[in-house]
Amino acid sequence: MIKKIKKARIAGTVIWLGVLLIALVGCKNNTTTEDPPQANIIVSNECGIAIDVFMNGNYKFSLEYWQFNTIENVALGTHELVSKWKGTEKLVLSDPVDISTLTEHVWTVRSLADLTISNEYGETLNIYGDGTLQGDIDDGTAETLASLPYGNHVMEARKLDDTVVASITILIEENIGYFWTITN
């Protein structure tokens, strides 16, 4: 009788383990801890003014100067990104962006306005923009400050002894070339 009980226990254990194994194999774990890869476009505003951002003609969001935001779940392919002065139709920047990988992409919005400064003063001058030294310009030469942010900029030309010899306030509001000639 002891042998029959032992055999019954072993058989019961084997059957129970078999049922458990079948149940475990039949269960599928559909939960994952990783999100599937996706393409995102991080838009950074470095143009000097508040902007509205559009993708493929559709409004996405507004950004203040020095802010950024993300366009999420962007499909692979080429997309037209456009930024305009906030609340207007005035164009800041328009770029086709090719999304060929499911990663983070960055689109930086900057002004394309340049300021060319010509020195006809008769000596080397230091150029200051908004109170910060931008560099020096030898007499008879010109230098260009590229991608000036939109808005007012106070420019000064100073002799090497720090005497201000010329100043101008320039309103940057278009992606064009601006010019300042310093004379004596």
Side-chain angles (χ1 to χ4, degrees):
M1 180 105 157
I2 294 178
K3 285 186 179 183
K4 284 186 182 180
I5 293 175
K6 256 186 173 179
K7 284 183 184 180
R9 280 188 195 163
I10 292 172
T13 303
V14 169
I15 291 172
W16 183 82
L17 287 173
V19 170
L20 182 62
L21 182 61
I22 290 170
L24 289 175
V25 170
C27 289
K28 292 183 181 176
N29 184 358
N30 289 331
T31 61
T32 60
T33 57
E34 292 183 26
D35 291 333
Q38 61 186 9
N40 295 321
I41 302 173
I42 300 168
V43 181
S44 175
N45 179 4
E46 299 177 15
C47 74
I49 57 162
I51 59 172
D52 291 328
V53 176
F54 299 82
M55 184 174 85
N56 300 330
N58 298 313
Y59 172 81
K60 292 298 180 180
F61 45 76
S62 294
L63 288 175
E64 295 298 318
Y65 183 38
W66 288 119
Q67 284 188 334
F68 64 91
N69 201 346
T70 303
I71 302 172
E72 297 180 335
N73 301 318
V74 178
L76 297 179
T78 301
H79 301 278
E80 187 66 26
L81 293 178
V82 173
S83 63
K84 298 178 182 178
W85 289 55
K86 186 176 180 179
T88 74
E89 290 300 310
K90 191 171 185 177
L91 181 68
V92 173
L93 188 62
S94 176
D95 279 326
V97 176
D98 183 38
I99 305 298
S100 59
T101 59
L102 297 175
T103 60
E104 301 279 340
H105 301 269
V106 177
W107 187 53
T108 303
V109 179
R110 289 188 183 98
S111 157
L112 300 178
D114 297 334
L115 173 61
T116 300
I117 304 167
S118 298
N119 180 1
E120 296 177 13
Y121 187 78
E123 60 185 272
T124 298
L125 298 172
N126 288 325
I127 302 300
Y128 286 78
D130 300 322
T132 303
L133 178 63
Q134 302 296 312
D136 60 56
I137 301 178
D138 292 330
D139 182 47
T141 64
E143 296 290 335
T144 300
L145 300 175
S147 296
L148 286 177
Y150 294 112
N152 282 315
H153 298 281
V154 177
M155 307 299 297
E156 289 183 337
R158 299 180 187 178
K159 291 182 176 184
L160 298 181
D161 68 3
D162 218 26
T163 304
V164 176
V165 295
S167 66
I168 189 171
T169 299
I170 298 175
L171 175 60
I172 304 293
E173 57 183 2
E174 293 184 59
N175 287 333
I176 61 174
Y178 294 81
F179 299 91
W180 179 34
T181 302
I182 304 162
T183 59
N184 191 349

